[in-house]
Amino acid sequence: MANSAMAKLTLDGLTHREHWDAAGIRLPAYDVKALRQRTCESPRWVHVGPGNIFRGYIAALAQTLIESGKMDTGITTLSTFDHQIMEKIYKPYDNLALQVIMHADGSLDKTVIASIGESVKADAEDPADWPRIREIFANPGLQMVSFTITEKGYHIKNMDGNYFPDVLSDFERQTEIPRNGMAILAALLQHRYESGGHPITLVSMDNFSHNGDKLADSVCTVAQKWVENGTAPAGFLDWLRDKSKVAFPWSMIDKITPRPDPTVSKTLTDSGFADTELVITDKNTYIAPFVNAEAPQYLVIEDTFPGGRPPLEDAGVYFTTRDTVDRVERMKVCTCLNPLHTAMSIFGCVLGFSSIAEEMKDPDICALVNRIGYVEGMPVVTNPGILEPEAFLKEVIQVRLPNPYIPDTPQRIATDTSQKLAIRFGETIKLYRKSADLDTASLTAIPLAIAAWCRYLMGIDDEGQTFAISPDPLLEQLQGYIAPLAFGNPDSVGDNLRPILSNTHIFGVDLYEDSLGGKVEDYCRRMLAGKGTIRAVLHEELQ
């Protein structure tokens, strides 16, 4: 139980500056209550997705501008999915968050983030906020809506190409508040269109290729269905597709914000900070009043904002052309960070690691990430101009991944792997196949990682012990394919991997179009031979 002398994360708690000074925590240098009043009166920026990356990075960018006098309103946060975040993290702590930047030397930079001016939820089961949300979206001064909802938050179809049941219900507008996030957004945009059609920009800040196009496609698909069934005017769809009115820029974001760590929680408590409760919501979101994060951060956005935007370049954001965003995104997501993370997460789980930093002490894992980045990935990278690929990769491998104070785990990163492989490995494979100078037969680390993923899906580690597989929307289907595989029996692989390795939805390519499918099968057979064989194959192929 926190005592009265501890720093408490509430508006009233902020008034006791001596407690925050004693805890070594920086307070916002502006009038928080006045900011909130201005935000409610003149909303200019809505953010959908109230999780850790938003609170630890995006909201902090806004705070930088507010403190420098370059923004005079905050962000309105909108929940469309995991509403327990609002109930357990936002309301009890008055929309405040504690950002904890973790440096490699063990030092912590601790700052209260107070730039969230208002928080609301679009919940069909609790419609109380819906009129206010519609009012916000009708406001002519609203300039942008940003998103951090993870890649799966944009999907309206399953892997088989069929619409999800809630989406089909939303097509028929069976409830006032839609249930699918993309339909919620479409309904709010329709209200904006019918309230004057003021310009707006919708910025996906999620970590996948051409994110703005995916957002636009999902929203416009819902709108088109409504136009077809007569529940939206034809002009609404025309407005959405008019780039002078509604923009869907591409972006690239990069900042590791792991799940809140118990060690950080204890350190904060010991320093005099009261609110360190770790929360796991019913939808499996790991969150706390504080956000632990690394120091490096990058956000690159296509500069297309028909209704204006905050001067985020003054907080370190890069605004540039679509082509440059594409090159930066491909550099990071397809080569210099995300493929390394995914490979480490897979091998980390089957080799018994619980820390990314600990993995970087392993010679075989280090050889794996160096080969994926420098040897197999770098030949297909186009220098984006604003960031240097070799320098970026060097920072990742030598500074970011080995940071022992970033409590990131392979188990967290392994979440939703089936949704990531097409970008993190498939894009490189495509470029190898197109190149006259490169041959997929030279790839070793990438097919090793894919084989290890197939082996991982068994839920049996390298010592033959069961382990918990991270959540994945395709897990049940994938495990059905690999069910015949038996630990200690390499021949059980047979043709059972073919439905997976030939699936273009998973990999973006059919791995059997050249020798890669067979190579992955061979690696998987060897990894299935018995105890220690995953480690043996990894070592033999990379040393």
Side-chain angles (χ1 to χ4, degrees), residues 340 343-344 347 363-373 444-446 448-449 538 542:
L340 282 61
M344 291 181 73
F347 277 102
D364 293 329
I365 299 294
C366 281
L368 177 75
V369 298
N370 274 278
R371 183 172 179 90
I372 289 177
T444 299
I446 289 175
L448 273 173
L538 177 64
L542 294 177

Side-chain angles (χ1 to χ4, degrees), residues 157-323:
K157 293 181 179 180
N158 61 23
M159 195 184 75
D160 297 325
N162 299 316
Y163 290 110
F164 293 121
D166 62 343
V167 174
L168 290 173
S169 171
D170 289 337
F171 285 163
E172 301 304 319
R173 308 197 86 152
Q174 295 180 5
T175 57
E176 180 186 6
I177 305 176
R179 296 184 180 275
N180 178 270
M182 294 294 98
I184 290 171
L185 179 61
L188 292 169
L189 289 171
Q190 181 180 343
H191 182 60
R192 184 173 183 83
Y193 166 74
E194 294 172 343
S195 301
H198 308 288
I200 194 167
T201 295
L202 308 164
V203 188
S204 168
M205 295 180 179
D206 277 296
N207 198 5
F208 62 97
S209 184
H210 302 173
N211 43 22
D213 286 354
K214 180 62 179 176
L215 174 58
D217 180 67
S218 294
V219 171
C220 289
T221 296
V222 175
Q224 183 167 350
K225 294 293 183 180
W226 289 346
V227 170
E228 290 172 358
N229 65 25
T231 59
F236 171 47
L237 187 57
D238 295 335
W239 177 75
L240 282 176
R241 291 172 171 168
D242 183 347
K243 294 180 181 180
S244 70
K245 296 293 185 181
V246 184
F248 296 89
W250 294 358
S251 76
M252 189 287 294
I253 192 169
D254 182 21
K255 186 178 181 71
I256 297 173
T257 52
R259 293 170 177 171
D261 185 70
T263 303
V264 178
S265 175
K266 183 179 184 306
T267 299
L268 292 172
T269 300
D270 292 345
S271 72
F273 178 66
D275 300 306
T276 60
E277 178 188 5
L278 307 182
V279 172
I280 305 175
T281 70
D282 292 344
K283 296 187 183 298
N284 209 42
T285 299
Y286 289 69
I287 199 163
F290 65 91
V291 182
N292 39 234
E294 65 172 349
Q297 58 189 36
Y298 302 92
L299 180 56
V300 183
I301 304 175
E302 177 188 358
D303 198 0
T304 172
F305 288 79
R309 61 169 176 79
L312 284 163
E313 62 272 27
D314 294 332
V317 176
Y318 296 88
F319 286 96
T320 184
T321 65
R322 171 167 286 206
D323 286 344

Side-chain angles (χ1 to χ4, degrees), residues 281-396:
T281 70
D282 292 344
K283 296 187 183 298
N284 209 42
T285 299
Y286 289 69
I287 199 163
F290 65 91
V291 182
N292 39 234
E294 65 172 349
Q297 58 189 36
Y298 302 92
L299 180 56
V300 183
I301 304 175
E302 177 188 358
D303 198 0
T304 172
F305 288 79
R309 61 169 176 79
L312 284 163
E313 62 272 27
D314 294 332
V317 176
Y318 296 88
F319 286 96
T320 184
T321 65
R322 171 167 286 206
D323 286 344
T324 300
V325 174
D326 190 39
R327 290 195 295 269
V328 173
E329 184 267 333
R330 294 181 69 88
M331 178 196 77
K332 183 252 182 182
V333 176
C334 304
T335 306
C336 292
L337 176 57
N338 297 71
L340 282 61
H341 248 167
T342 291
M344 291 181 73
S345 73
I346 295 165
F347 277 102
C349 290
V350 294
L351 294 179
F353 286 95
S354 58
S355 162
I356 290 295
E358 284 299 312
E359 281 194 75
M360 288 302 292
K361 298 177 183 178
D362 185 291
D364 293 329
I365 299 294
C366 281
L368 177 75
V369 298
N370 274 278
R371 183 172 179 90
I372 289 177
Y374 287 111
V375 179
E376 298 183 0
M378 200 58 69
V380 297
V381 169
T382 300
N383 190 324
I386 60 174
L387 296 173
E388 177 62 41
E390 286 83 1
F392 185 91
L393 180 59
K394 182 179 179 180
E395 181 186 55
V396 167

Side-chain angles (χ1 to χ4, degrees), residues 158-161 418-419 421-423 426 429-430 433 450 453 474 477-478 481 496-513 517:
N158 61 23
M159 195 184 75
D160 297 325
S418 70
Q419 309 297 293
L421 294 169
I423 300 302
I429 292 170
K430 288 178 184 177
R433 287 177 173 176
I450 295 171
W453 179 62
L474 299 185
Q477 182 176 355
L478 292 166
Y481 293 137
N496 293 302
L497 299 185
R498 184 168 287 272
I500 299 175
L501 303 182
S502 63
N503 192 314
T504 58
H505 289 287
I506 295 176
F507 293 103
V509 295
D510 180 346
L511 295 181
Y512 292 101
E513 289 180 1

